[in-house]
Amino acid sequence: MDRSAEFRRWKAQCLSKADLSRKGSVDEDVVELVQLLNEREQFFTTSSCAGRIVLLDGGINGFEVQKQNCHWLLVTHRPCVKDDLIVALNKANGDAVLKFEPLVLHVQCQQLQDAQILHSVAVESGFRNSGITVGKRGKTMLAVRSTHGLEVPLSHMGKLMVTEEYIDFLLKIANQKLEENKRRIERSPRNNQLFLASGPITDLKARVHFSSTGLESILKKRTKYTLSYDLIIFTAEVEKLNLIFF
């Protein structure tokens, strides 16, 4: 089986499977981005989480929370309300930890250059902890991640270890991080529209039509472009690759 046919088979199998996440569906804030990627021949998403604030109750092994043995006391993809957090904290019997987890998105890519282009989009959108892995069977996976997480223990063996004033302070930070995460997600579809072709990306060439808004913030180094109505013709060096968009 040729590589293109094998990739199409992997994509069909993945997208036909039931969603086994805790929620059972794609988070609302990333629906547009997930749909945009899955509509492209050269990509498909394997998992996603738009970002969330959670309160976990369980043991802490060293410096990390072990999610497998934890109780999920609170999960929200929206700004957290203090009263909800306090109610959840009162249910804790072990070591309760407040966390903010930013967007995580895994995208399988048909070719390495497809992943490299998408990686550039992710980084320019603010997800600077993103990376590419290539498996033994040739599967190329892009993980879109950020670095602005938060993890703070609040109780030990059911006893609250911080003041209410400190909880107010933490919630303010967590909610601010959640809003910043949402802004980065909202930038991603716009940036993807700039970089993704209407068909497969081959020979590092792509065709895009877009307005000039935001172009300068995306292409920063040695960029030449000519404007002709909505068509922008430019050559850019991104990630040490010479990409021609026309």
Side-chain angles (χ1 to χ4, degrees), residues 68-124:
Q68 289 183 343
N69 300 318
C70 283
H71 298 291
W72 295 67
L73 301 178
L74 175 71
V75 181
T76 178
H77 296 82
R78 294 290 178 261
C80 186
V81 179
K82 178 183 175 182
D83 289 346
D84 293 342
L85 179 61
I86 296 299
V87 170
L89 263 175
N90 288 334
K91 300 176 183 177
N93 297 312
D95 298 337
V97 178
L98 178 69
K99 300 187 67 175
F100 164 68
E101 299 176 333
L103 169 80
V104 176
L105 178 67
H106 292 96
V107 185
Q108 190 166 331
C109 307
Q110 187 169 14
Q111 299 182 47
L112 179 60
Q113 57 260 40
D114 300 330
Q116 289 168 322
I117 292 172
L118 202 57
H119 179 267
S120 297
V121 174
V123 171
E124 291 298 339

